[in-house]
Amino acid sequence: MQEDRCLVSCIHEDVIQKITGVSEPNEYLERLAQLFKVLGDPTRVRIIYALMQHELCVCDLAHILQMSQSSISHQLRLLRQNQIVKKRREGKIMFYTLADDFVTKLFVLGMEHVRNETYKEYK
């Protein structure tokens, strides 16, 4: 597509040098990509949204999302492996909460972005 690329070949050496000097290590960029990949699933987003409201057990989440406990447990395992949620056992019940405030902040910023009128213009 012509509209998505430069019409002339031009390298801005000064800008490239600045960016190259402040680059994050690939390990961090890969971990960030993995985080966004995990957050890129609608079911996991719905789980996060529910957990932003209150600590919940697997049974509660299954009921809220109208899914099986097995499916919810699988999604929670992925979220836990990526430090997005944490668990707490109380007797025979496993409760889940968000791992930290960063997840909430990321979610809130993402919601602000998709609710923004300029975002809707690009769709």
Side-chain angles (χ1 to χ4, degrees):
M1 299 178 89
Q2 287 283 12
E3 63 205 42
D4 291 336
R5 47 184 264 213
C6 296
L7 298 178
V8 296
S9 180
C10 177
I11 304 296
H12 301 90
E13 293 289 340
D14 56 332
V15 176
I16 291 172
Q17 287 179 354
K18 286 180 187 177
I19 292 172
T20 305
V22 296
S23 178
E24 288 289 334
N26 281 338
E27 174 191 349
Y28 292 152
L29 297 175
E30 289 173 17
R31 288 172 55 190
L32 180 61
Q34 177 63 28
L35 173 65
F36 283 125
K37 181 178 176 183
V38 171
L39 295 176
D41 178 84
T43 298
R44 291 190 285 268
V45 169
R46 292 173 57 211
I47 290 170
I48 291 168
Y49 184 73
L51 293 176
M52 284 175 62
Q53 315 310 310
H54 201 276
E55 176 183 62
L56 297 166
C57 73
V58 175
C59 301
D60 294 334
L61 283 165
H63 183 76
I64 291 167
L65 276 66
Q66 298 180 347
M67 295 175 67
S68 70
Q69 289 184 33
S70 175
S71 295
I72 295 295
S73 292
H74 173 72
Q75 299 301 331
L76 287 167
R77 188 175 316 109
L78 287 170
L79 291 169
R80 194 169 33 83
Q81 288 170 345
N82 287 276
Q83 291 91 36
I84 297 169
V85 300
K86 60 184 177 181
K87 63 182 182 176
R88 174 184 70 83
R89 181 175 296 283
E90 189 173 302
K92 294 183 178 184
I93 301 173
M94 188 67 72
F95 286 96
Y96 286 85
T97 58
L98 296 179
D100 54 44
D101 289 338
F102 292 113
V103 175
T104 302
K105 290 176 186 175
L106 184 60
F107 192 93
V108 169
L109 285 172
M111 286 302 292
E112 286 177 14
H113 180 72
V114 298
R115 287 180 179 150
N116 187 325
E117 291 300 315
T118 55
Y119 173 80
K120 292 175 186 172
E121 292 174 16
Y122 288 104
K123 285 194 96 179

